[in-house]
Amino acid sequence: CGPTVYNYPHIGNMRAYVFADTLGRVLSFKGYRLTHVINITDVGHLTDDADAGEDKLEKAAAKEARSIWDIARHYTQAYWADVKALNIRQPAHWSIATDYVPQMIEFAQSIAADHCYELDSGLYFDTSTVADYGRLARADTQEGEGRIEAVEGKRHAADFAIWRKTPPGEKRQMEWDSPWGKGAPGWHLECSVMSRALLGLPFDIHTGGIDHREIHHPNEIAQNQAIAHTHGLDCAENSGARLWMHNNFLIDRSGKMSKSSGEFLRLQLLIDKGFHPLAYRMMCLQAHYRSELEFSWENLAAALTRLKRMVMAVDRLVDSCHGSSPSQQAWHQNVLGLVDVFDKSISDDLNSPLALTAFEDLLTLKKVSPHHKVEAIYKLDEVLGFGLQGLMRSDLRIRPKSATITEAEIEAALDRRQDARAGKDFATSDAIRDELAGQGVEVMDGDPLRWEWKLDVA
Ligand code: AMP
Ligand code: ZN
């Protein structure tokens, strides 16, 4: 399940794609051939997952006084920029919901007689017509789970719209003719239709954030059961996918992940504050995908430091390869041992925190050929997705947007300070240091990472 493109994704949303990307990378590493599909929801997702509220895109378009198509294009591109910045690999297909409306109507038509009923507001899926509805959520979805009987006439609280009719007298920007009148598809229908069209049901793995486990995915499963004429979920394949995997949430206690807040936690904000986007990827990998992850600037700074250390260790390793020819022998036993620990960890329900430790142990492993180490590091980095082969130390120092001083000016001041110190003129040296501090530059004498200076990102 991909994004609903009515606004910029927040970094919590991006955790879902880092997770799916890591899973894909692990599958490739293990020798599987991967066909990854990410769908883009540009119609049908309501402001409330349980069928209440307005279409998110219609609402955004009205607010920004732009066409829906404009809104969808703009935010899809913003999402793709984040995908690229986080080294998320391109899927085999990006499926755009509005490209599949005829197939959605066809799908709805073929399950309508046995599984749906029509109300004035649309065509609804009767969840009592499939066995085990809501089993994925492990909850009694009829009873509560925050559901409100938002639509008059629904037979069961959990029933959901698969086609939403345009109310009489209204005109929606996005509407299509259908056997149930002009209207738009329901959000859940899109995912069943696109996955069926591109992958075929059942396919292997369906991913999404943990919130989808409660409503969206149980509804997809119900539709998949209906189209396949399967009844109970005694066999996992009957749900449409053999495995359903959900990432837990990124939590932000400051409330800045709400898209309505002023300083909204999107990837660009992190970059504006001087953090390399891959520091966020590191932050995600440091936690297990099924655990909640709490966002804080301190955690992000720690993740950036860890990434810097890796980049520098790889730099040193590459340096030490110069002047010696690659060994023709098989990788040293200790290298193989750590690769094995990495493999076992990442293969155990994606234990990325443990895999990261094995990766770092490999970087600091003593008394083995640096060539073997570099080869192994690059191979495992394909799984972690940092792109260490092309990531330079200098890439990791990003000028915060608020910085008024240029790198050249900082370097020049540091040269003057170096001269002063060489001449034992400590008063001048201290004055230059204070002057830089006044411009938000912290001089870091004796920094073990040899970073020398950093821009204050507060
Ligand atoms: P949406 O664009 O709202 O459909 O959400 C895109 C993806 O982000 C979905 O898979 C959601 O489950 C997931 N998601 C939403 N909020 C968070 C969060 N705070 N942390 C992690 N994943 C999230
Ligand atoms: Zn979906």
Side-chain angles (χ1 to χ4, degrees), residues 1-4 10 12-13 15-17 45 56 187 208-212 247-250 257:
C1 280
T4 306
H10 57 55
N13 297 135
R15 186 182 187 199
Y17 311 115
H45 194 168
K56 288 188 178 189
W187 173 41
I210 197 155
D211 52 331
H212 289 349
N247 62 279
N248 211 322
F249 264 30
L250 180 81
M257 226 145 58

Side-chain angles (χ1 to χ4, degrees), residues 18 27 119 127 155 158 207 220 276 310 321 352 386:
V18 169
L27 294 171
L119 297 176
T127 49
R155 292 180 190 164
T207 65
E220 263 188 75
H276 194 280
M310 272 185 189
C321 286
S352 55
F386 293 123

Side-chain angles (χ1 to χ4, degrees), residues 7-21:
N7 201 335
Y8 295 106
H10 57 55
I11 55 172
N13 297 135
M14 295 315 292
R15 186 182 187 199
Y17 311 115
V18 169
F19 152 62
D21 178 59

Side-chain angles (χ1 to χ4, degrees), residues 272-322:
D272 287 349
K273 286 191 182 277
F275 290 97
H276 194 280
L278 291 176
Y280 180 63
R281 187 175 179 105
M282 173 68 87
M283 196 176 150
C284 291
L285 293 178
Q286 287 183 162
H288 191 265
Y289 76 92
R290 281 191 290 110
S291 310
E292 275 188 358
L293 170 60
E294 179 148 356
F295 178 80
S296 72
W297 294 103
E298 291 75 26
N299 284 351
L300 186 65
L304 179 60
T305 301
R306 192 169 183 188
L307 183 62
K308 282 178 177 174
R309 284 184 191 280
M310 272 185 189
V311 167
M312 295 180 63
V314 173
D315 264 5
R316 281 195 297 270
L317 205 52
V318 170
D319 278 352
S320 57
C321 286
H322 292 148

